Amino acid sequence: MRILSGIQPTNVPTLGNYIGAIKNFVKMQNENQDADILVFVADLHSITVPRDRKDIKKNIRSLAALYLASGLDPNRTHIFIQSEVHEHAELGWVLECNSYIGEMERMIQFKEKSAKEGASVTTGLLTYPCLMAADILLYDTNLVPVGEDQKQHVEITRDIAIRFNNKYGETFVVPEPMIQKSGARIMSLQDPLKKMSKSDPNPKGYITLLDDINEAKNKIKRAVTDSIGIVKYDTVNQPAVSNLMTIYSSFTNMSFDEIENKYSGLGYKEFKEDLSEIVANELTKIQTKYNEIINSNELDKILDEGRDYASRIAYKKMAKVYKRIGLGRY
Ligand code: AMP
Ligand code: TRP
């Protein structure tokens, strides 16, 4: 079985990315001893909207180091940078020619992001799901662990794979999304109806994995709640507290019932104090390891190995795709 996923190197990953995606990669790695696991830095994806060159460079390395700091083990998981395996862009093109503008325009993420970009929406923002489909289909991926917001992109990947297989003969494995039951959509600390996002203009709404520890604690303590005053998991009437409970539960493995019992009769203050310590501990662990890795040669060795491993698989698949379609001489 093969498991694959990636994250865009835009800004620093948030607690949402961590709980919805990275922690899940680590869990899958630890629970599936015979699976072949690939996790990459989706740098080609990060240029669908304008980015500063220096920022991109910094974020690519930083994300790779955060994968390792979060518990991805290079002996188990191949970590690589998307643009270093050129078949991603190549297959992306082929898939663009086997998908329809209408289905790209229906993607929720495209609708949201293009509304923000106004007149300067790039073609890449529209065709992005084809590149994501290429990332997945190049490797005969069976399972794709992602947060809730990427489900639609995995579904279109399935449609494209099935369509290609029908047209050209069996070529791609049809993948399944892997979305956790809890934590797949962590909300903003300032607005529980909005997804926690690293591009939120209000930094109080999110915590990144590299935030200053005290600042992160304060963000939890100042997170919005409600006037009900009872620690209870109720996403309809108490969405903000429920969101904080999701973070709590994800870091302690306690169930919502257990958390409710622990804080019954107590107010939000105690609950938030404890949560701020829990988050601080988790961030401290990650940051300590991150600082050891970020400037090491070890990181480059791991990324070289990952690139070489991924390239061997991608090369073979691409040759097969061209052959099926009739491109080139062979
Ligand atoms: P992105 O930051 O868009 O590259 O997302 C990387 C991964 O994190 C994807 O699997 C997303 O689904 C996941 N993700 C992003 N934001 C959140 C969030 N607020 N809650 C849970 N998962 C998220
Ligand atoms: N599109 C994903 C995101 O924005 C990142 C991504 C790119 C990805 N290619 C992928 C995730 C392939 C899983 C599999 O979060």
Side-chain angles (χ1 to χ4, degrees):
M1 178 176 65
R2 186 166 282 141
I3 300 172
L4 169 138
S5 196
I7 295 181
Q8 296 192 41
T10 43
N11 307 325
V12 180
T14 64
L15 279 191
N17 297 127
Y18 182 66
I19 294 171
I22 302 176
K23 245 177 138 260
N24 206 13
F25 305 165
V26 176
K27 187 161 167 247
M28 297 201 82
Q29 164 193 276
N30 297 340
E31 285 176 1
N32 294 280
Q33 289 306 324
D34 351 299
D36 189 36
I37 308 173
L38 295 149
V39 173
F40 64 98
V41 175
D43 59 344
L44 290 172
H45 275 93
S46 71
I47 60 168
T48 52
V49 295
R51 303 271 174 215
D52 179 71
R53 175 184 184 280
K54 271 208 232 102
D55 271 359
I56 297 183
K57 272 265 154 309
K58 191 176 85 203
N59 287 330
I60 289 174
R61 206 177 162 85
S62 168
L63 179 55
L66 279 171
Y67 282 154
L68 295 163
S70 303
L72 285 183
D73 170 1
N75 295 315
R76 284 284 297 119
T77 299
H78 303 279
I79 300 174
F80 67 99
I81 296 170
Q82 184 188 28
S83 66
E84 293 184 1
V85 181
H86 57 75
E87 285 84 356
H88 288 249
E90 272 179 67
L91 182 58
W93 168 252
V94 169
L95 300 183
E96 280 177 34
C97 298
N98 285 280
S99 57
Y100 300 100
I101 291 179
E103 58 189 356
M104 298 291 128
E105 281 171 342
R106 277 200 294 278
M107 296 291 109
I108 297 162
Q109 196 174 62
F110 173 72
K111 287 190 200 160
E112 285 175 0
K113 288 199 177 178
S114 58
K116 268 196 227 157
E117 294 296 312
S120 49
V121 175
T122 65
T123 312
L125 194 63
L126 178 68
T127 59
Y128 162 118
C130 292
L131 181 59
M132 178 153 162
D135 301 337
I136 297 169
L137 300 180
L138 263 182
Y139 299 97
D140 287 339
T141 305
N142 305 99
L143 275 184
V144 187
V146 281
E148 180 66 41
D149 61 355
Q150 294 301 317
K151 187 167 175 227
Q152 202 184 24
H153 292 154
V154 181
E155 278 163 1
I156 203 170
T157 300
R158 291 171 56 87
D159 294 345
I160 293 173
I162 292 168
R163 181 182 305 148
F164 193 100
N165 287 346
N166 285 337
K167 191 165 166 194
Y168 298 106
E170 211 51 35
T171 310
F172 297 126
V173 169
V174 180
E176 299 277 347
M178 225 313 280
I179 295 163
Q180 327 168 64
K181 281 185 218 88
S182 171
R185 194 170 169 83
I186 298 294
M187 310 311 278
S188 157
L189 300 175
Q190 291 297 315
D191 177 356
L193 303 181
K194 221 171 73 182
K195 188 184 81 164
M196 181 181 286
S197 160
K198 52 196 170 189
S199 52
D200 187 340
N202 179 3
K204 291 200 188 100
Y206 60 86
I207 291 177
T208 82
L209 296 185
L210 298 179
D211 269 5
D212 173 81
I213 301 292
N214 280 324
E215 215 170 283
K217 280 169 124 177
N218 283 334
K219 285 184 190 175
I220 295 281
K221 287 183 200 158
R222 293 192 192 127
V224 297
T225 44
D226 52 57
S227 55
I228 299 175
I230 298 167
V231 177
K232 182 159 186 272
Y233 191 80
D234 175 349
T235 49
V236 177
N237 299 307
Q238 297 182 251
V241 173
S242 302
N243 185 44
L244 295 178
M245 284 177 74
T246 304
I247 299 174
Y248 195 118
S249 159
S250 160
F251 287 162
T252 59
N253 289 324
M254 279 168 75
S255 68
F256 296 136
D257 277 348
E258 286 168 336
I259 300 171
E260 283 173 9
N261 287 336
K262 181 163 180 193
Y263 293 95
S264 98
L266 300 170
Y268 293 149
K269 187 156 176 287
E270 287 86 349
F271 169 68
K272 282 181 169 180
E273 287 279 346
D274 289 355
L275 179 59
S276 73
E277 290 303 329
I278 290 165
V279 169
N281 282 341
E282 189 90 7
L283 290 189
T284 306
K285 262 196 274 167
I286 295 173
Q287 291 180 10
T288 308
K289 215 161 159 209
Y290 175 86
N291 290 328
E292 285 166 18
I293 300 165
I294 186 68
N295 291 317
S296 68
N297 294 336
E298 193 54 29
L299 179 57
D300 283 303
K301 273 198 217 131
I302 291 167
L303 293 173
D304 286 350
E305 187 282 332
R307 175 202 58 210
D308 295 346
Y309 183 82
S311 294
R312 282 196 293 278
I313 304 170
Y315 173 83
K316 282 199 204 126
K317 181 59 81 178
M318 208 55 224
K320 186 167 180 184
V321 168
Y322 282 165
K323 199 164 171 200
R324 288 266 195 258
I325 302 176
L327 294 175
R329 281 182 296 149
Y330 304 106

